[in-house]
Amino acid sequence: MNTGEPFPGLYEAEYRVLVMQQKLHQWAMADRGRRFDDVFNLVYDPAFLVVAWDRVRGNKGGRTAGVDGVKPASIVFGVEKLLTGLRDDLKARRFQPQRVREKTIPKASGKVRRLGIPTVADRVVQASLKLVLEPIFEADFKPCSYGFRPKRRAQDAIAEIHYLASPPRNYEWVFEADIKACFDEIDHTALMGRVRDRVGDKRVLGLVKAFLKAGVLSEDGSAKATITGTPQGGILSPLLANIALSVLDEHFTQKWEALGPEWARRKHRRAGGSTMRIVRYADDFVVMVNGTRDDAEALWDEVAAVLAPMGLRLSEEKTRVCHIDDGFDFLGWHIERRDQPSRTGKKAIYTYPSKKSLASIVGKVRSLTARAKHRTLGDLLARLNPVLRGWCTYFRHGVSKRTFGYLDHYAFWRIVGWLRKRHPKLNMGTLIRRHLPGWEIADGGIEMFRPSRFAVERYRYRGTKIPSPWASETTTTPAPAA
């Protein structure tokens, strides 16, 4: 690509980036041992910078500022000047990342999650780096990981667990794992070693390392060095975390493949052996075991040994072994094998919203329906509807109808309670006649979203057939000499 040309429009830039990503992905797929030695020029290519800026500005974090105090969403004029400056600095190798601004968010457990918010310029460069690196590393990532990967979602991970636990596979024992402070403790040397396996361009490697070592400006104004970890909140961090955690995927994939074809695996199980499959979503994962409890318990030491070279460790408080009949929570879902009411003696795998997830949405509804938060009923519905719709959309593929009914009832009467506080002089009959005709809630052309009427449908299990966004049957560009 010609990096000296003016910046293209977004549509043209997206097309050019997609074509280049397809080439990178196909070259990486064709030669699993290939190291890419000359990709730095793509990081400051005008098309990549234009697409990177669009991703940064459209991201939900576009309204937060880094240490520069600038919010991406607030930049309307001077975008080309910003991108030109970045291109020139990258090309001349003058670019240096700034510290990330630390932001702590309270967790339900009482602890806090620490986010690192980069500056606008750093976000654009990280986004451009991700556009270059992601197609290369996606060629190596295993099908068992689903988090922060294109065209993959949490529902795929839940469907995989449902598939493995159902007959005739019957993976009944579950090693439910939690990595302690994953994003904070990834070893930089080990991570860079895995990046170096695929990328030989020292300029790219230096840029990735610079972001890892950029440091943090804490909320009290003190500067801290980043010796380990990759800050949550950075655009590049999820990809780097997946590169680090893919050691788990590779370990269990090698164990699976070493058993040979399906008939050999069945023979292995009949002889008292076990088979294991990992399902990972970012730093949350479970290992499904077709074997005994002892086989699952042995994973404590095995998984710890795999994670140790990456500087990671299991959380003893949150890691456990359980049986599928006892159930477990994963990605907001509760997964459990239970008796089927309509079929005596038959069991099935049920997936439905966990108690923690339900408590979370109930808390949000309670907060949003506080009296002082909204001027009119229309304002309340405009805030509440997207929250209810988003939650129901996420859980619509499970056994969620009864839960949706409960949420509908709770939200409805919270709104009624809000109306009664807003109109204390009206009796209930007058309130219903004026504001709840036909027991429907609407105002200003906005109707209340009703969870009880939201359709529940089975999720289509996709297994290993999830397509890559860079798979192209028409692009057959040969790889140049390395």
Side-chain angles (χ1 to χ4, degrees), residues 43-168:
V43 178
Y44 60 83
D45 180 272
F48 277 75
L49 289 175
V50 167
V51 175
W53 165 250
D54 182 67
R55 301 273 173 92
V56 168
R57 195 170 190 276
N59 188 280
K60 64 181 180 180
R63 298 188 179 277
T64 57
V67 295
D68 57 351
V70 179
K71 302 175 183 178
S74 68
I75 300 178
V76 179
F77 304 105
V79 173
E80 187 164 339
K81 182 180 179 181
L82 167 68
L83 298 184
T84 300
L86 282 177
R87 183 183 64 184
D88 293 343
D89 287 345
L90 287 166
K91 192 173 182 179
R93 302 189 66 180
R94 295 189 300 263
F95 178 82
Q96 285 295 327
Q98 297 186 54
R99 296 181 185 275
V100 297
R101 181 174 69 86
E102 186 180 68
K103 175 70 176 177
T104 56
I105 298 177
K107 298 168 69 174
S109 61
K111 299 180 180 180
V112 296
R113 175 179 285 110
R114 301 184 183 277
L115 301 181
I117 305 171
T119 64
V120 174
D122 289 355
R123 278 185 248 190
V124 174
V125 176
Q126 284 192 32
S128 186
L129 257 177
K130 184 181 178 184
L131 290 171
V132 175
L133 296 178
E134 190 173 45
I136 296 172
F137 286 96
E138 274 291 325
D140 299 332
F141 290 159
K142 305 301 181 184
C144 57
S145 71
Y146 297 94
F148 304 113
R149 295 184 58 189
K151 294 194 178 286
R152 290 169 173 262
R153 54 184 76 98
Q155 286 82 355
D156 288 312
I158 300 302
E160 179 76 10
I161 293 172
H162 188 284
Y163 173 81
L164 291 170
S166 300

Side-chain angles (χ1 to χ4, degrees), residues 214-422:
V216 176
L217 184 67
S218 63
E219 290 183 312
D220 62 9
S222 60
K224 297 184 294 185
T226 46
I227 302 171
T228 61
T230 175
Q232 279 186 274
I235 293 175
L236 195 60
S237 294
L239 174 61
L240 295 178
N242 267 335
I243 293 172
L245 291 169
S246 59
V247 295
L248 283 168
D249 311 335
E250 292 166 5
H251 173 77
F252 284 99
T253 299
Q254 288 168 4
K255 284 187 65 173
W256 174 259
E257 293 174 348
L259 294 173
E262 180 57 33
W263 65 266
R265 291 192 288 269
R266 286 197 296 266
K267 182 179 179 181
H268 173 74
R269 285 192 289 262
R270 285 196 297 268
S274 63
T275 53
M276 303 174 183
R277 304 298 297 273
I278 186 173
V279 180
R280 183 174 68 82
Y281 190 93
D283 58 334
D284 293 325
F285 69 95
V286 296
V287 182
M288 308 294 291
V289 181
N290 187 324
T292 66
R293 184 183 184 95
D294 288 341
D295 295 325
E297 291 285 359
L299 287 170
W300 274 92
D301 294 334
E302 184 176 332
V303 171
V306 174
L307 290 174
M310 299 305 304
L312 301 174
R313 55 205 169 115
L314 291 171
S315 169
E316 294 187 7
E317 302 83 22
K318 297 181 180 179
T319 301
R320 70 183 185 117
V321 170
C322 67
H323 195 273
I324 193 67
D325 288 350
D326 299 324
F328 64 99
D329 292 349
F330 187 59
L331 303 180
W333 296 83
H334 184 76
I335 305 167
E336 183 179 344
R337 187 170 67 180
R338 300 167 63 182
D339 294 328
Q340 296 187 63
S342 59
R343 302 179 68 183
T344 305
K346 296 291 184 180
K347 292 189 174 184
I349 306 298
Y350 286 79
T351 59
Y352 47 90
S354 68
K355 292 181 179 179
K356 185 177 178 180
S357 297
L358 180 58
S360 176
I361 187 63
V362 164
K364 288 180 182 178
V365 172
R366 185 187 302 114
S367 175
L368 286 171
T369 52
R371 179 183 175 186
K373 283 204 169 185
H374 310 284
R375 198 167 48 84
T376 66
L377 177 58
D379 294 338
L380 168 59
L381 295 177
R383 290 284 306 280
L384 181 63
N385 281 352
V387 174
L388 293 175
R389 184 179 289 106
W391 195 86
C392 291
T393 299
Y394 181 81
F395 287 107
R396 76 182 186 274
H397 297 298
V399 185
S400 306
K401 200 65 180 176
R402 181 177 293 180
T403 307
F404 287 178
Y406 171 82
L407 179 60
D408 183 283
H409 180 270
Y410 180 81
F412 182 93
W413 286 104
R414 283 292 300 184
I415 296 174
V416 171
W418 182 87
L419 285 169
R420 295 192 71 177
K421 291 176 182 177
R422 291 283 292 181

Side-chain angles (χ1 to χ4, degrees), residues 412 429 431-442 450 453:
F412 182 93
L431 187 75
I432 292 171
R433 187 171 62 254
R434 290 186 183 180
H435 299 284
L436 303 170
W439 289 96
E440 296 291 341
I441 299 178
R450 304 302 298 269
R453 300 171 188 171

